[in-house]
Amino acid sequence: MPTVREQPGLPGEMGKPVRTPPEEEALMKEKFKLNQFNLLASDSISLNRSLPDVRLEGCKTKKYPPLMPTTSVVIVFHNEAWSTLLRTVWSIIQRSPRPLLQEILLVDDASERDYLGEELEQHVKTLPVPVRVLRTGERSGLIRARLLGAKEVTGQVITFLDAHVECTEGWLEPLLARIAEDRTRVVCPIIDVISDETFEYVTASDMTWGGFNWKLNFRWYRVPQREMERRGGDRTQPLRTPTMAGGLFAIDKEYFEKIGRYDEGMDIWGGENLEMSFRIWQCGGTLEIIPCSHVGHVFRDKSPYSFPGGVVNVVMKNSARVAEVWMDEWRDFFFEMNPGARSVDYGDVSNRRKLRQDLKCKSFRWFLENIYPESQMPLDYYYLGEIRNADTQSCLDTLGRKSGENLGTSYCHGLGGNQVFAYTKRQQIMSDDNCLDASNPSGPVKLVRCHGMGGNQMWTYTEKVTWVNQCCMYCTMTREKSVVKLA
Ligand code: UD2
Ligand code: MN
């Protein structure tokens, strides 16, 4: 393994930010559009730049078994920049023990940029580890592209990475060690942040894990106390996470096959991360974040590429498949929150449902009760739907507002979304991860992140219907013709 030394004087060494001089600002802005990150900065950084060792001290002295499974690294890409793609590859080459690295598979998902053709194929032949370029031929999306890569894997473990990442010192050993002990563990590194503006390497918190909201967006949330206690307060210990971000993880190859690979019916981007997370947990596996393993990723505000079929439709379709196959009754939260999803053609899910049966997977209730009790999906609830004022016939509406803000009422559109609330058996009135909160007794009711501790967020049914403070304080819940007291 070549040692990674700082190359003094070069931009971005040791993960430092690259500043674009003012005279190059216009060019930088122009090139930013190509990949939705600062390509000018990336191109100025060496392909094998040095990075700091960001691990906790307790990680640096850990010993790993001498015999561990080998891994093939699968990287799918569509129109990736040369410098980010090759820096990804170089960071793997430089920082993986050679005996553990079987090969790197680059799966080109129908890129339209010339340098990713013959030039890339010639270039990878010069690299000191086996690197193969595979091509999907037509645009398949990242899910089917990964499936193509996985088919060709010859190592014992598949490690999936995005095409704009940088692996840091010691990233691989702790991942493979977990799998060596138990083949049903699926493991993710901590995903650090490579700035899309300056390419600075910034470490992410080891106190966050993966969750999701009613829209089925993946979200980072704070690790709850109970998980810290299970790990004996040791931050170097593997963290059991309800869901994964999706791009960076390692899985035993046979286990990947056994547990149902990926859902081939999913297009382009999105949803596959939650699908795989639910599937792993519900079907007997374990999903972990390994805090001793750090890989940086360029997070972008926007997607740089086209979504044939339209981005909203594609993501909605993929998420609808997740909801239909894995979430049982809790599918309703997704469809109420995303009214458009009801009319989306999500295709045939019978194979995936059969897989769930064949593997004798547990219910979504089991997942919520045992793996993710902190989730925003209420375990038991009386009602999910609109909350209508019986006198004015207007509906409670979050107006798309955030935690800490007032909500309001508006014409009942019957489409769900901002007008959908759940009345839970813990007597909360929820909209996604926010709850109606009466912190000020004289009104108005606010939306506040649900704390689950009753108090200002505990509401009771009454028979009376009244109107207080402009805000809908007493409304009826139309579906069950019951009345909920809102203050
Ligand atoms: C995150 C994941 C990503 C994936 C996605 C949900 C991380 C760091 N990233 O979004 O891996 O799970 O959530 O689907 O967890 N690509 C193709 N063909 C396409 C579209 C994308 O090959 O049609 C490639 C793309 O070049 C990249 C990878 O797929 O290498 C992931 O795409 P992304 O970087 O746009 O996803 P990201 O990081 O926003
Ligand atoms: Mn990415």
Side-chain angles (χ1 to χ4, degrees), residues 75-80 107 109 139-143 145-146 161-164 191 245-248 268-273 297-300 303-306:
I75 299 169
V76 302
F77 62 92
H78 175 73
N79 288 347
E80 189 61 52
V107 185
D109 185 15
R139 181 82 181 275
S140 312
L142 75 94
I143 297 121
R146 279 187 197 156
L161 295 178
D162 273 10
H164 32 259
I191 309 180
L248 288 55
I268 307 295
W269 185 101
E272 95 295 341
N273 47 348
H297 168 261
V298 185
F299 286 93
R300 298 179 274 208
S303 223
Y305 33 74
S306 68

Side-chain angles (χ1 to χ4, degrees), residues 218-269:
F218 170 86
R219 285 276 177 275
W220 300 105
Y221 293 99
R222 207 178 159 72
V223 178
Q225 195 54 31
R226 67 170 178 93
E227 177 62 7
M228 291 306 283
E229 279 159 21
R230 191 192 63 81
R231 299 154 76 213
D234 180 353
R235 283 163 58 200
T236 69
Q237 287 302 310
L239 176 68
R240 287 192 190 156
T241 180
T243 71
M244 66 165 148
L248 288 55
F249 66 99
I251 183 168
D252 179 78
K253 180 169 195 278
E254 273 170 34
Y255 188 60
F256 179 71
E257 317 259 311
K258 186 184 157 225
I259 199 150
R261 299 185 183 96
Y262 267 124
D263 178 356
E264 272 182 70
M266 289 188 177
D267 300 331
I268 307 295
W269 185 101

Side-chain angles (χ1 to χ4, degrees), residues 282-315:
Q282 288 175 240
C283 308
T286 316
L287 182 59
E288 296 178 336
I289 293 172
I290 310 298
C292 287
S293 171
H294 280 255
V295 178
H297 168 261
V298 185
F299 286 93
R300 298 179 274 208
D301 291 341
K302 282 202 279 193
S303 223
Y305 33 74
S306 68
F307 277 70
V311 57
V312 176
N313 284 330
V314 168
V315 178

